[in-house]
Amino acid sequence: MLVSLGVYPLAEQVYRLLLARTGLEVAAIAQELSITEAQVREVLDHLAELALLQPSWESPGGFRPVSPQVGLQVLLQRRQVEMRRQQKQIAEAESAIASLVSEYSDLHPAAYHPGAEPILGMDAIQTRIERLAADTVFEVVSMMPGGAQEPELIDAAKLLDRQVLHRGVAIRTMGLNSIRNDPPTMAYAEWLSENGAHVRTVPTLPIRMLVYDRSIAFLPLDTGNTRVGAVQVSDSGTVTAVLALFDQIWNVATPIGTPLIKDQEGLLPQERQLLKLLAEGLTDEAAGHHLGLSQRTVRRMMAGIMERLGARSRFEAGLRAAEKGWL
């Protein structure tokens, strides 16, 4: 339950035990949880670093657990501040990637662009992805906007993923938070994770991309219609920029096995992003496209936000959200 706050499962077990039975010594904790004393000491150090343990006033050299009302609230606030800082970095990175993509958006098959090769048509794109996956030696990273995936696309992806993972190639992939509400896509993400891949989600993603062995980037020719074609980029400057964007977003993304955290205003990351997109003038359809949500889901989510704000119209909701500092 507390992994998202930096408290791993064994540490949570020890913390709960100490809250229930204050004053236990290392040997007693080890016996109670059937672990070694070395493990206990490691966990106690971890809890102390998180400020969930403090030196005991009554027992010199001993320790006491900090109450959850104080200790966990501090961890939550720290996590929320970190998320806001990193969201700002993502916004700056998205602006940079938009400029980067526009550089290649006018590629034409007859044109010559050093380090960039256009691939036109879905069959050609799939064939090239299969070839690149087969040639990959150590790593594939990807950002996959679009939300829920069709079953046939999942089956095709699984076939490639299984081959890549079987060779010991590392996979890191990011999807939208909305996939958590789609059972088939969520099952696929969990399957990836169970088979050694690392999967995380975020509210929005700026672009669909694949990067193989940190040397070849596969980007869409048209971000509005990825079926038109793709461009395979191998010049180091572009690949480095794409990887920098990926790493920035990866650092604030939530692992697939970790629940999403509400911020200080009680908003989920997806809800805050929806408010931001609508405030920028996007329609329900356009905002849903960015978030991987249907118009119906967008309207339901917005209705819930309006109810919390006590607003009778979206205009009034915008004003109240701004007053509360939500925007």
Side-chain angles (χ1 to χ4, degrees):
M1 290 176 59
L2 303 180
V3 171
S4 58
L5 298 181
V7 185
Y8 56 82
L10 181 57
E12 181 178 346
Q13 280 186 278
V14 173
Y15 180 56
R16 287 176 177 273
L17 178 62
L18 291 175
L19 287 171
R21 298 168 60 184
T22 304
L24 286 180
E25 296 184 352
V26 171
I29 296 172
Q31 183 177 5
E32 183 73 23
L33 297 179
S34 300
I35 58 178
T36 66
E37 293 188 15
Q39 286 177 298
V40 174
R41 291 190 179 91
E42 182 181 333
V43 169
L44 294 178
D45 287 343
H46 176 63
L47 292 172
E49 289 173 4
L50 295 175
L52 293 177
L53 281 187
Q54 294 289 344
S56 171
W57 289 94
E58 298 178 358
S59 305
F63 46 81
R64 62 178 177 84
V66 176
S67 71
Q69 294 93 328
V70 176
L72 296 183
Q73 189 63 32
V74 169
L75 289 181
L76 178 60
Q77 291 173 350
R78 187 185 304 167
R79 174 71 171 144
Q80 290 167 341
V81 169
E82 179 187 356
M83 287 175 64
R84 289 193 176 187
R85 176 183 61 79
Q86 292 173 331
Q87 286 294 339
K88 181 180 178 182
Q89 292 177 339
I90 287 178
E92 294 170 352
E94 287 180 350
S95 176
I97 198 67
S99 174
L100 175 66
V101 172
S102 67
E103 181 181 344
Y104 293 99
S105 62
D106 60 349
L107 281 174
H108 187 276
Y112 174 69
H113 294 261
E117 177 189 355
I119 314 294
L120 303 181
M122 288 301 295
D123 287 343
I125 289 173
Q126 188 59 31
T127 298
R128 182 58 61 91
I129 288 175
E130 290 169 358
R131 195 181 84 188
L132 290 169
D135 293 340
T136 302
V137 176
F138 63 87
E139 182 189 50
V140 180
V141 302
S142 63
M143 293 196 296
M144 296 297 167
Q149 301 294 308
E150 297 295 327
E152 57 270 22
L153 294 178
I154 291 176
D155 291 340
K158 268 189 174 182
L159 183 62
L160 278 181
D161 294 332
R162 188 178 287 110
Q163 294 170 357
V164 170
L165 290 167
H166 181 71
R167 298 202 315 271
V169 174
I171 291 180
R172 287 191 294 157
T173 187
M174 282 188 287
L176 298 179
N177 285 345
S178 60
I179 70 171
R180 294 170 179 261
N181 300 319
D182 181 69
T185 310
M186 187 62 177
Y188 168 54
E190 291 171 339
W191 175 86
L192 277 172
S193 183
E194 289 165 2
N195 283 274
H198 299 278
V199 185
R200 298 185 180 184
T201 66
V202 287
T204 62
L205 287 167
I207 187 175
R208 183 177 297 274
M209 55 155 272
L210 289 155
V211 182
Y212 299 90
D213 285 343
R214 308 187 75 81
S215 61
I216 296 175
F218 209 65
L219 307 171
L221 280 173
D222 182 352
T223 55
N225 182 7
T226 57
R227 300 179 70 87
V228 170
V231 58
Q232 180 177 314
V233 184
S234 57
D235 72 272
S236 60
T238 301
V239 175
T240 298
V242 169
L243 284 170
L245 171 68
F246 177 89
D247 288 337
Q248 277 195 324
I249 300 177
W250 180 260
N251 288 336
V252 301
T254 305
I256 202 68
T258 302
L260 300 176
I261 302 176
K262 292 184 178 182
D263 61 19
Q264 290 172 314
E265 285 78 27
L267 294 172
L268 288 168
Q270 199 174 48
E271 293 174 320
R272 181 172 290 279
Q273 192 65 25
L274 173 61
L275 278 174
K276 178 176 178 289
L277 293 172
L278 295 177
E280 290 172 355
L282 271 67
T283 63
D284 286 356
E285 182 180 6
H289 177 74
H290 279 276
L291 297 168
L293 300 171
S294 66
Q295 288 187 60
R296 182 178 179 181
T297 302
V298 168
R299 288 167 184 159
R300 185 173 65 246
M301 189 181 297
M302 194 60 202
I305 293 173
M306 289 170 61
E307 184 178 352
R308 270 182 279 172
L309 288 168
R312 290 173 292 181
S313 68
R314 290 200 178 188
F315 178 75
E316 184 181 357
L319 292 176
R320 295 198 176 188
E323 289 172 359
K324 289 177 174 290
W326 290 12
L327 295 172

